[in-house]
């Protein structure tokens, strides 16, 4: 089971929950990391403001069965969401990865957000999400659905 994400969730917590922030071509000092966190403050604020929408996306994605090797239905929905958000070149590759591109506003190093779509549960597993005192309960809801929901909301 997974409760509502905290508006104060840090980048480290997001990484621990399965979303990986990769900044290419650089090694950062502690001061640079602090500056990066400060620069991301407005993004964290926007994520907190979108919390209800992100949770509903998390629920919707969780309720689409996606056992390993059979993630096509979930990948299709994520691809549609990426297109709706204006990402360029959205594709689903031969193994089910959903790939899209959003150009940055500067020439800063690229950032890649990665998360998996599959679950360890069989196709016929119950995927309905139930709510209990603010908690979301369903097989796989705490795995990586939250990061996928956040980047596709």
């Amino acid at each position: 089971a997974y409760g509502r994400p905290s508006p104060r969730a840090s980048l480290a917590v997001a990484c621990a929950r399965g979303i990986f922030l990769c900044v290419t071509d650089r090694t950062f000092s502690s001061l640079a990391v602090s500056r990066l966190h400060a620069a991301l403050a407005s993004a964290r604020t926007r994520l907190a403001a979108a919390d209800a929408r992100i949770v509903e996306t998390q629920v919707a994605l969780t309720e689409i069965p996606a056992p390993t090797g059979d993630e096509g239905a979930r990948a299709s929905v994520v691809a549609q969401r990426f297109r709706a958000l204006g990402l360029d070149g959205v594709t689903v590759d031969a193994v089910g990865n959903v790939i899209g591109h959003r150009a940055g506003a500067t020439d800063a190093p690229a950032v890649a957000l990665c998360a998996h779509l599959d679950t360890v549960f069989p196709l016929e597993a119950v995927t309905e999400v139930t709510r209990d005192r603010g908690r979301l309960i369903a097989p796989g809801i705490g795995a990586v659905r939250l990061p996928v929901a956040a980047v596709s909301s």
Side-chain angles (χ1 to χ4, degrees):
Y2 184 76
R4 288 178 49 102
S6 165
R8 302 172 86 190
S10 70
L11 180 61
V13 171
C15 287
R17 290 192 177 138
I19 191 166
F20 305 96
L21 176 65
C22 309
V23 182
T24 61
D25 301 329
R26 285 224 173 133
T27 302
F28 291 100
S29 67
S30 295
L31 179 58
V33 170
S34 294
R35 288 181 181 148
L36 179 61
H37 280 253
L40 292 173
S42 66
R44 287 193 304 273
T45 299
R46 286 192 310 273
L47 282 171
D51 184 61
R53 186 179 74 239
I54 292 169
V55 169
E56 290 312 310
T57 301
Q58 178 184 16
V59 168
L61 292 174
T62 298
E63 291 182 339
I64 301 168
T68 301
D70 196 7
E71 305 95 332
R74 189 176 285 167
S76 177
V77 170
V78 171
Q80 289 171 351
R81 290 176 180 274
F82 280 5
R83 287 183 191 101
L85 290 170
L87 272 67
D88 297 318
V90 177
T91 60
V92 180
D93 69 14
V95 294
N97 295 307
V98 182
I99 302 163
H101 179 264
R102 180 181 173 269
T106 68
D107 289 332
V111 175
L113 298 172
C114 311
H116 71 84
L117 294 174
D118 66 331
T119 64
V120 298
F121 306 101
L123 189 58
E124 47 294 326
V126 174
T127 58
E128 181 181 357
V129 177
T130 59
R131 296 169 191 259
D132 180 25
R133 294 177 294 222
R135 294 182 69 185
L136 302 174
I137 303 167
I141 195 157
V144 192
R145 254 40 65 216
L146 178 59
V148 172
V151 300
S152 65
S153 289

